[in-house]
Amino acid sequence: MNHLARLDTDRYALPQHARIIVYDGNERELITIYDCGVAQKPPSAQFLGNLGRVDVEHELERTPTGYAVSLRQSAVLEHLGADHYRVSKSPD
């Protein structure tokens, strides 16, 4: 399931109020992305991998099963290969 807007082969647009929920796993994490943290909508994407960095304005909340990242600005989700991902500044 991936309904994120694709920018190119390895990059996806994330809206300003996106919320990323990361469930810690042994080798890979379960990453779930919602367009908005307060909207009552199903997730826009869900995949296994590792979220390495978040290089945009955000809030980080630790949970018993992992952590949640609430974005405060538009961003880009970049697939860096080998199931590694990074959230970086949007080109706009």
Side-chain angles (χ1 to χ4, degrees):
M1 160 184 54
N2 185 352
H3 303 288
L4 297 173
R6 184 183 290 267
L7 299 174
D8 58 38
T9 307
D10 294 322
R11 298 179 337 136
Y12 300 89
L14 296 175
Q16 179 177 355
H17 298 290
R19 184 160 169 94
I20 304 168
I21 308 295
V22 180
Y23 296 99
D24 285 334
N26 291 333
E27 294 179 21
R28 295 189 296 175
E29 302 164 327
L30 174 62
I31 301 169
T32 305
I33 299 175
Y34 295 89
D35 284 343
C36 180
V38 296
Q40 296 294 317
K41 292 183 176 182
S44 301
Q46 191 171 49
F47 51 91
L48 293 173
N50 294 295
L51 183 61
R53 293 180 59 149
V54 178
D55 294 331
V56 297
E57 187 178 335
H58 67 283
E59 287 183 24
L60 180 67
E61 174 188 346
R62 296 278 173 195
T63 67
T65 58
Y67 58 95
V69 178
S70 297
L71 299 185
R72 297 295 175 238
Q73 66 184 93
S74 298
V76 174
L77 176 69
E78 297 179 89
H79 181 228
L80 304 174
D83 292 332
H84 285 78
Y85 295 86
R86 171 178 63 195
V87 176
S88 60
K89 188 175 179 181
S90 183
D92 50 24

